[in-house]
Amino acid sequence: PKFFYDIKGSELFEKICSLPEYYPTRTEISILEQLQEDLLEYLDESFRLVELGSGSSTKTRLILDIFEKFQSKMEYFPIDISDILAESSEILQSHYENLHITGIIDTYEGGLEFLKNYDTKKNLIIFLGSSYGNFSPENGVQFLKKIHSTMKSGDLFLIGLDLVKDYSILESAYNDSKGVTAAFNLNVLSRINDELDADFDLNNFAHHSVYNEQSQRIEMYLKSLTNQTVVISQSNITIPLRKDELIHTEFSHKFKPSQLNSLFEDIGFEVKHIWCDEKKYFSLTLLSKK
């Protein structure tokens, strides 16, 4: 799913976040607005903010507002694979005179490895949104182990997780009435056309997503609307597709509150606090290294 996020894909995702059907962003923001006093108990002037996936600066500002209460000079290290990082950093810089930003355009793993031996300053690493759900369960555990291995004693990690809920709410969130999610999904084919010299005809594909209750995940696909053959010239690959055949583009796993403690503690994290909204749609979990 990281390949969704070129400039156009990032802009489309920002539009998705404001859609009425897409509850995760506004729900997570409501939790962030409520946890500010709680989070203050765990932070002091020795912390910097590190964000995996800078995206929109809206949620970042809510965390920086907490830092501003006890720091005269704030440090922020956003890590993002998309060049939109520069734009989002400029927006943040305009809001905080006492903010020093060091942007890292890299994978999360690469950025964390860079920070591992950067200095001795403590990090609050935040991974907001529900991006963790894009990992398969096995890869997700490996990713959490990677974060755990790069954390110093005293570092903290705040992660957002989308929770299991009625399937109709989930499916409408990924099948919005304005078709923005469909454009976001189809944009990955545009990237392949532009960057790998392919000949996908976007009119021959449709966005398709369903909730798999047994696996607790939204499954997102692009459905071929006809029998067709696609050529990716740069890789010398020819792909025959049948009508209704699916190209898998994303999983978005959801979690039960009862699964959270074991998910993190098995890796070696200590759960400091779990915050949820009133409807139990979304969670934010604060972790430290045991």
Side-chain angles (χ1 to χ4, degrees):
K2 66 186 179 185
F3 294 114
F4 284 129
Y5 298 98
D6 61 352
I7 293 291
K8 182 180 178 183
S10 296
E11 289 172 349
L12 285 168
F13 186 71
E14 291 305 318
K15 291 181 180 178
I16 289 171
C17 290
S18 63
L19 294 169
E21 298 99 328
Y22 194 76
Y23 62 85
T25 303
R26 63 175 178 271
T27 305
E28 186 176 33
I29 287 172
S30 73
I31 299 171
L32 285 168
E33 290 171 340
Q34 297 300 317
L35 64 70
Q36 291 192 332
E37 290 301 319
D38 289 343
L39 198 56
L40 269 173
E41 298 177 18
Y42 300 98
L43 300 172
D44 57 44
E45 62 184 14
S46 65
F47 276 88
R48 76 159 61 89
L49 181 62
V50 176
E51 183 168 19
L52 306 182
S54 62
S56 166
S57 58
T58 305
K59 289 182 281 189
T60 311
R61 285 204 295 268
L62 291 171
I63 301 292
L64 286 173
D65 287 345
I66 300 173
F67 274 71
E68 199 171 33
K69 292 180 179 180
F70 57 87
Q71 289 187 351
S72 57
K73 181 183 178 183
M74 302 185 293
E75 278 192 89
Y76 172 54
F77 281 60
I79 303 170
D80 204 306
I81 198 170
S82 171
D83 289 343
I84 201 171
L85 183 150
E87 180 184 332
S88 61
S89 294
E90 285 180 13
I91 293 169
L92 276 177
Q93 194 72 73
S94 68
H95 282 85
Y96 301 93
E97 291 182 1
N98 60 338
L99 178 63
H100 184 270
I101 301 175
T102 303
I104 305 170
I105 298 179
D106 201 342
T107 61
Y108 298 150
E109 295 87 347
L112 287 169
E113 199 61 43
F114 168 78
L115 273 173
K116 184 177 181 179
N117 301 309
Y118 184 74
D119 61 16
T120 59
K121 195 175 178 76
K122 288 189 288 190
N123 299 310
L124 169 63
I125 303 167
I126 60 174
F127 191 32
L128 304 178
S130 53
S131 297
Y132 179 76
N134 295 148
F135 288 106
S136 67
E138 298 79 11
N139 289 341
V141 167
Q142 292 304 312
F143 180 68
L144 290 176
K145 286 180 177 178
K146 176 66 175 179
I147 292 175
H148 185 272
S149 72
T150 59
M151 288 172 66
K152 301 183 295 292
S153 176
D155 283 357
L156 294 170
F157 177 39
L158 182 68
I159 181 171
L161 293 175
D162 199 7
L163 302 178
V164 170
K165 57 190 69 65
D166 186 88
Y167 80 93
S168 62
I169 297 170
L170 288 163
E171 290 196 347
S172 64
Y174 292 83
N175 290 284
D176 66 275
S177 56
K178 292 186 177 180
V180 184
T181 310
F184 175 70
N185 198 7
L186 285 161
N187 182 58
V188 77
L189 299 185
S190 295
R191 285 200 72 183
I192 298 171
N193 284 347
D194 294 342
E195 298 175 38
L196 299 177
D197 193 19
D199 63 353
F200 283 96
D201 183 345
L202 272 61
N203 293 317
N204 288 339
F205 294 88
H207 168 69
H208 178 71
S209 72
V210 293
Y211 181 59
N212 182 327
E213 191 167 358
Q214 183 175 352
S215 299
Q216 294 179 202
R217 69 189 183 201
I218 284 284
E219 300 178 355
M220 204 153 82
Y221 303 95
L222 290 165
K223 180 187 286 188
S224 177
L225 299 178
T226 183
N227 294 324
Q228 57 182 307
T229 300
V230 177
V231 177
I232 304 178
S233 297
Q234 187 169 309
S235 303
N236 197 27
I237 293 172
T238 300
I239 305 171
L241 291 161
R242 298 183 303 276
K243 184 177 185 297
D244 295 330
E245 190 167 0
L246 301 174
I247 300 172
H248 167 222
T249 54
E250 181 181 69
F251 285 155
S252 185
H253 290 83
K254 313 304 174 185
F255 301 86
K256 294 178 180 177
S258 59
Q259 296 173 321
L260 299 184
N261 280 298
S262 60
L263 172 66
F264 299 120
E265 289 175 354
D266 288 351
I267 289 161
F269 287 110
E270 178 183 346
V271 177
K272 310 294 281 187
H273 205 298
I274 298 175
W275 295 271
C276 294
D277 60 291
E278 289 182 359
K279 294 181 179 179
K280 298 290 191 294
Y281 277 9
F282 202 90
S283 70
L284 281 165
T285 303
L286 185 67
L287 305 163
S288 64
K289 190 171 183 176
K290 282 184 180 177

